């Protein structure tokens, strides 16, 4: 279980209280805004951005193996790429995002969209400025050692940007396969 901090060691001392994490991003062309704690998503054809990132998360003794009564370290490493650029002269834009994450929670750990193994996520969108819509497709695949088959998800949708990012309406079809 991912509750190592809630389980003391054999001497009664707490463990699993330290987390170290980091994320490094290099922007080519223009830079992404950092005003918000998440990425904007699209710049509506107003600038060209290519960001490449690498991150890690380390939680010593963060997991607890109930079968062996031992703590296990949790460690993840991930990379992602974000590209948003104008297409043509009319304000349309293409938007692409992809990430790869290697999770390690300890032997055979699994929960929905996280477990010891890998996760791949990709999305593609196209902003049509005259209609203020952005149709998109996204795919997610998790391959975890505790499961025989990958958990996959497919999203197909459209965003209607009423007032850019200040107001938008989203219609989406979402499906998950092999959800244990």
């Amino acid at each position: 279980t991912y509750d190592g901090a809630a389980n003391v060691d054999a001497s009664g001392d707490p463990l699993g209280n330290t987390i170290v994490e980091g994320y490094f991003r290099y922007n080519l062309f223009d830079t992404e805004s950092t005003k918000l704690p998440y990425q904007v998503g699209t710049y509506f054809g107003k600038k060209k951005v290519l960001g490449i990132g690498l991150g890690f998360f380390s939680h010593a003794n963060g997991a607890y193996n109930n079968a062996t009564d031992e703590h296990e370290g949790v460690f993840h490493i991930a990379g992602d790429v974000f590209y948003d650029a104008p297409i043509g002269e009319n304000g349309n834009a293409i938007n692409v995002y992809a990430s790869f994450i290697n999770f390690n929670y300890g032997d055979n750990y699994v929960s929905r969209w996280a477990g010891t193994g890998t996760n791949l996520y990709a999305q593609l969108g196209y902003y049509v400025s005259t209609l203020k819509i952005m149709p998109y497709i996204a795919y997610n695949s998790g391959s975890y050692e505790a499961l025989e088959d990958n958990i996959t998800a497919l999203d197909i949708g459209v965003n209607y940007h009423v007032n850019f990012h200040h107001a938008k309406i989203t219609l989406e079809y979402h499906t998950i396969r092999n959800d244990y």
Side-chain angles (χ1 to χ4, degrees), residues 107-176:
D107 291 338
N108 290 317
Y109 178 90
V110 69
S111 68
R112 180 181 274 174
W113 300 118
T116 296
T118 58
N119 188 285
L120 175 66
Y121 177 83
Q123 74 179 34
L124 171 66
Y126 187 82
Y127 179 68
V128 182
S129 64
T130 55
L131 301 175
K132 298 199 267 185
I133 64 168
M134 183 173 202
Y136 64 89
I137 185 167
Y139 178 76
N140 197 355
S141 178
S143 175
Y144 306 118
E145 67 181 33
L147 300 177
E148 213 170 286
D149 297 318
N150 289 3
I151 299 173
T152 61
L154 177 67
D155 302 320
I156 301 170
V158 62
N159 292 320
Y160 172 58
H161 294 271
V162 178
N163 185 15
F164 297 102
H165 288 299
H166 304 291
K168 94 177 161 181
I169 299 169
T170 299
L171 177 65
E172 179 180 274
Y173 168 78
H174 174 76
T175 183
I176 299 176

Side-chain angles (χ1 to χ4, degrees), residues 5-21:
N7 292 284
V8 296
D9 69 5
S11 303
D13 294 325
L15 293 173
N17 293 319
T18 303
I19 295 174
V20 178
E21 59 187 329

Side-chain angles (χ1 to χ4, degrees), residues 29-137:
F29 312 121
D30 209 337
T31 57
E32 290 186 74
S33 171
T34 56
K35 287 182 181 178
L36 302 172
Y38 51 87
Q39 303 302 335
V40 171
T42 183
Y43 292 98
F44 303 105
K46 300 204 182 332
K47 64 185 194 176
K48 183 177 179 180
V49 174
L50 174 60
I52 301 168
L54 180 65
F56 70 93
F57 175 92
S58 179
H59 188 178
N61 300 308
Y64 188 74
N65 187 325
N66 295 317
T68 63
D69 291 327
E70 294 177 329
H71 284 82
E72 297 184 25
V74 174
F75 184 78
H76 314 313
I77 190 161
D80 67 348
V81 176
F82 172 75
Y83 180 70
D84 192 75
I87 300 291
E89 301 291 323
N90 54 3
N92 293 348
I94 189 165
N95 180 274
V96 180
Y97 177 78
S99 69
F100 176 82
I101 306 169
N102 186 339
F103 292 109
N104 186 350
Y105 288 95
D107 291 338
N108 290 317
Y109 178 90
V110 69
S111 68
R112 180 181 274 174
W113 300 118
T116 296
T118 58
N119 188 285
L120 175 66
Y121 177 83
Q123 74 179 34
L124 171 66
Y126 187 82
Y127 179 68
V128 182
S129 64
T130 55
L131 301 175
K132 298 199 267 185
I133 64 168
M134 183 173 202
Y136 64 89
I137 185 167

